[in-house]
Each structure stands twice: as C-alpha cells, then as structure tokens.
Amino acid sequence: MKNNLSTILGKRLITIGEVSEGTGLHRNTISKIYHRQDENTGIKVYKAICDFLRIPLSELIEYVPDSSQKYPKNL
C-alpha cells in the first residue's frame, strides 16, 4: 500500500498541522502517515483525512501489487 498524503498536501499547500486541526487527529499520527512510517493505520484515521481533504480513499491510498511475489498462474 502506498499513501499519497505528502503529494496531496504539497499540491494544495496544506500543512500537517492544518490536517491535524481539521481532523482532530494527533499531529504525530498525521506525520507518520505523511512520512510513510506507519503501516497499521486504521480506516477511521484514513476516513477522517479523506473527509477533511474531500477526496475518495482511492486517491489517498494506492495499492501497488508486489511484483517480487511468485503466485500460481491459475490465481
């Protein structure tokens, strides 16, 4: 999973502090997501960010399949 928070905030010139204030989420939580350091973020956190930014979840989080994994061809 890849989150696009830093790209979105950069394009909109929005700070981590503004997201924190607007969502009620702790600044450290936003910062960890922004810097892609947190892998266990709950859906409620992402929902709050998406609601604040008025974007769909698919714009914030992108799934990129792991090409190094070997799966059976019939899957």
Side-chain angles (χ1 to χ4, degrees):
M1 300 281 194
K2 174 186 167 194
N3 83 68
N4 298 311
L5 184 61
S6 61
T7 303
I8 294 166
L9 296 187
K11 286 180 182 178
R12 296 185 183 191
L13 301 176
I14 298 173
T15 67
I16 291 172
E18 290 171 321
V19 177
S20 177
E21 287 179 28
T23 60
L25 299 170
H26 197 280
R27 184 181 176 90
N28 287 343
T29 300
I30 305 299
S31 183
K32 284 181 181 180
I33 296 169
Y34 181 92
H35 294 289
R36 298 179 180 156
Q37 296 173 337
D38 188 27
E39 295 182 7
N40 296 317
T41 303
I43 193 69
K44 289 182 180 183
V45 171
Y46 285 125
K47 181 183 180 313
I49 294 170
C50 288
D51 288 345
F52 174 76
L53 296 172
R54 300 181 195 272
I55 60 172
L57 182 61
S58 60
E59 190 173 327
L60 179 62
I61 300 173
E62 179 180 350
Y63 175 70
V64 180
D66 183 358
S67 61
S68 68
Q69 291 287 337
K70 303 236 189 257
Y71 296 103
K73 292 184 181 184
N74 60 350
L75 288 180

